[in-house]
Amino acid sequence: MGIRTDRNANQIAGIGRGDESTLVCGRLPTEAFGLHETFATVPDLTVECAPLVAAGETANMSMLWASTDEADLTGILNDDPTVFAAKELCQSDDRCLYRVEWTHNVHRCIEILLQSQGILLSNRGTRSGWAVEVLYPTREDVRTATECCERYGLSVTIDTIRSLDSDRMVQCGLTPAQHRVLTQACRHGYFDVPRKIGLEELADKMSVSHQALSERLRRGHDTLIRSTLIETSSVSPTAPASTLSL
């Protein structure tokens, strides 16, 4: 039981900058989270949280869209030991919206996952398990939630961890050093017309040599131009964001 990854909590917290917003994608078995008996009875069932932001320990995940050929899903849900009460609210195309009141164990699992003000962005359940996406304010908050899952024995498999604040840098191909000098140069007015700061003064502010700053600016410009103007036509608009896989 507990977190399953290739890295421990300290290493997880060390990926990327500690103050970056971090998206964690993971999986939980139905036995550990909820609706295990319902999925066993209705193997084709797929459920998904309605798109309502669930944040912090007060999140309740009470609205579920369900897709299945089963006619009496309401009765089956109400017989599930992880459900206190379930009611069908409406139908749309081939799915139904249910209001679900969960038992204490499910609420406890949600509280553990959303430690440190985590935000539940998506939660999709099938017979094979629950796939969740949780956004944490910082990398340290991921570490806190990971340790909490370990402490309470909540079985979670983490598939990917992505630092959202780094996505644009990664997608443009910039190194951290190039990203830093370009952003600092922009913030200090180096690219303004007329310039508010010269190269030597900017180098002093950043505690780097004049030559190193000049080289990083040139290489950063070259990388940005190639990735955004020259290579854009060869990049699929639906290509997935870069991720840090565990």
Side-chain angles (χ1 to χ4, degrees):
M1 297 293 286
I3 296 289
R4 290 198 296 270
T5 68
D6 294 331
R7 299 180 174 95
N8 61 31
N10 288 321
Q11 292 171 316
I12 289 172
I15 303 172
R17 291 204 328 265
D19 60 348
E20 291 180 329
S21 299
T22 303
L23 179 66
V24 176
C25 301
R27 290 169 286 127
L28 299 91
T30 57
E31 306 96 304
F33 193 68
L35 298 187
H36 177 66
E37 291 191 7
T38 296
F39 287 122
T41 304
V42 189
D44 71 327
L45 175 64
T46 298
V47 298
E48 190 169 358
C49 284
L52 300 173
V53 172
E57 297 179 7
T58 60
N60 56 34
M61 203 181 73
S62 60
M63 309 293 282
L64 291 182
W65 284 104
S67 300
T68 180
D69 293 331
E70 173 60 49
D72 186 30
L73 184 59
T74 302
I76 295 173
L77 285 171
N78 279 295
D79 288 337
D80 192 291
T82 60
V83 174
F84 181 75
K87 180 180 180 181
E88 181 180 328
L89 299 180
C90 66
Q91 295 186 9
S92 176
D93 298 328
D94 59 346
R95 60 181 188 168
C96 298
L97 180 64
Y98 291 84
R99 182 190 299 278
V100 178
E101 296 180 40
W102 300 98
T103 59
H104 172 75
N105 287 341
V106 176
H107 285 295
R108 186 57 175 158
C109 289
I110 297 172
E111 290 174 2
I112 293 171
L113 283 175
L114 304 186
Q115 284 290 314
S116 303
Q117 292 303 304
I119 300 173
L120 183 63
L121 299 182
S122 69
N123 193 9
R124 186 174 185 270
T126 65
R127 187 180 184 183
S128 62
W130 290 85
V132 299
E133 290 186 344
V134 183
L135 178 65
Y136 295 94
T138 69
R139 185 68 58 150
E140 183 62 30
D141 294 320
V142 177
R143 176 178 175 174
T144 299
T146 300
E147 292 174 342
C148 191
C149 289
E150 292 280 8
R151 186 181 312 120
Y152 290 101
L154 180 60
S155 180
V156 182
T157 299
I158 295 180
D159 295 319
T160 61
I161 294 181
R162 189 173 73 196
S163 295
L164 300 187
D165 296 343
S166 295
D167 275 357
R168 287 176 295 178
M169 177 183 74
V170 172
Q171 290 169 355
C172 290
L174 294 172
T175 67
Q178 292 168 358
H179 181 269
R180 179 171 178 264
V181 298
L182 286 172
T183 54
Q184 289 299 316
C186 182
R187 289 168 182 165
H188 287 291
Y190 178 77
F191 300 115
D192 291 359
V193 180
R195 282 180 175 166
K196 296 179 181 178
I197 190 172
L199 193 63
E200 291 187 5
E201 185 181 355
L202 180 60
D204 289 340
K205 283 183 175 293
M206 298 185 65
S207 300
V208 297
S209 69
H210 177 281
Q211 181 179 354
L213 179 60
S214 177
E215 290 178 356
R216 290 172 189 172
L217 282 171
R218 289 200 307 272
R219 289 172 179 168
H221 280 139
D222 180 72
T223 300
L224 282 176
I225 291 169
R226 290 180 184 277
S227 64
T228 60
L229 299 180
I230 297 176
E231 298 177 359
T232 300
S233 60
S234 65
V235 177
S236 169
T238 59
S242 297
T243 59
L244 298 172
S245 298
L246 295 179

